[in-house]
Amino acid sequence: MLRSLVGSEMCIRDRYQRRVREAIEPIMGGKDNPMREIKVDKMIINIAVGEAGDRLTKAVRVLQQLSDQQPVENKARYTVRTFGIRRNEKIATHVTIRGEQALNLIDRGLKITDYEISQRHFSATGNFGFGVNEHIDLGLKYDPNTGIYGMDFYIVLCRAGFRVGRKKRCKGKVGQNHKITKAEAIEWVRTKFQAEIRK
């Protein structure tokens, strides 16, 4: 009985929020509202090598060529004997890219996947990621001394006003209606890059 009451209450609340949103959207400018515009906050490219030494140094060089920035080396949090990884050993590298360069690299990455991405690659908070098997597909020249590296792309989306949740002074909360949903992120990728979203 209690479960059914809670379920019906949630259903009524969802219906109310949807109706309020539909009523407010034309007043607030709807889709033309610049505050509702979705943008790329940052893009993280990660190469997990699994060991320190020469291979990690070469992976850092690959990310440096790709981004024209200095990548950061990541340390292992735990010791995993089956993989031969020790705690605090450097095993991976990543770089964070923003602005136009991030959009350009997303486009180059999606081109490799034939502009196809699965729905499962999107998180509930509206961020998404995908993998690239060979870095030379991104337009980098093959070097026999370096070899071939695969990498993970992870893209964080945002809207104007998201900074209020991160700032130190006068910190606030981002409203539920202003947060990016999975459906909105999928629609943004579909319209921005003419990508096909698989189930």
Side-chain angles (χ1 to χ4, degrees):
M1 180 71 181
L2 184 66
R3 195 179 289 173
S4 64
L5 279 169
V6 171
S8 63
E9 190 184 315
M10 285 175 72
C11 186
I12 291 163
R13 191 176 64 210
D14 289 346
R15 204 180 306 149
Y16 171 76
Q17 284 180 344
R18 194 165 59 246
R19 282 183 182 172
V20 167
R21 202 180 294 132
E22 283 169 6
I24 287 173
E25 214 166 54
I27 302 162
M28 297 299 287
K31 289 174 183 174
D32 299 328
N33 187 349
M35 291 294 283
R36 300 285 297 165
E37 188 189 338
I38 295 173
K39 297 177 281 190
V40 174
D41 184 24
K42 59 184 174 182
M43 181 179 82
I44 300 101
I45 303 176
N46 180 62
I47 299 178
V49 179
E51 60 180 341
D54 195 36
R55 284 196 71 223
L56 184 63
T57 310
K58 287 172 181 175
V60 168
R61 203 181 304 142
V62 166
L63 285 186
Q64 214 165 2
Q65 287 172 352
L66 193 63
S67 63
D68 297 324
Q69 291 174 208
Q70 183 59 46
V72 179
E73 291 177 348
N74 309 332
K75 291 177 182 177
R77 287 191 288 176
Y78 315 107
T79 299
V80 185
R81 284 191 181 149
T82 49
F83 296 118
I85 294 168
R86 292 190 305 276
R87 189 169 176 264
N88 285 331
E89 184 186 8
K90 289 177 180 177
I91 57 163
T93 179
H94 79 273
V95 68
T96 304
I97 303 159
R98 299 173 194 269
E100 280 298 318
Q101 193 184 4
L103 282 169
N104 180 33
L105 278 168
I106 295 165
D107 190 47
R108 279 158 68 183
L110 286 171
K111 204 177 201 176
I112 297 162
T113 63
D114 294 324
Y115 293 97
E116 276 188 19
I117 189 166
S118 173
Q119 275 186 11
R120 289 178 295 176
H121 292 179
F122 290 82
S123 72
T125 51
N127 306 321
F128 68 99
F130 58 93
V132 172
N133 291 328
E134 297 180 357
H135 74 272
I136 53 171
D137 292 336
L138 292 162
L140 295 176
K141 205 172 181 182
Y142 173 68
D143 183 5
N145 298 323
T146 305
I148 290 173
Y149 286 89
M151 55 187 70
D152 301 313
F153 283 54
Y154 196 75
I155 297 97
V156 178
L157 300 177
C158 71
R159 277 191 173 122
F162 270 33
R163 198 180 71 88
V164 295
R166 296 195 295 261
K167 63 184 185 176
K168 256 187 178 178
R169 193 171 173 274
C170 300
K171 196 174 186 176
K173 281 185 179 178
V174 177
Q176 197 63 39
N177 289 344
H178 199 60
K179 287 177 181 174
I180 300 167
T181 62
K182 184 177 178 176
E184 285 173 331
I186 288 169
E187 190 54 41
W188 181 82
V189 172
R190 191 181 279 132
T191 52
K192 185 83 177 172
F193 299 103
Q194 283 77 50
E196 189 185 325
I197 312 298
R198 297 192 314 270
K199 285 188 179 179

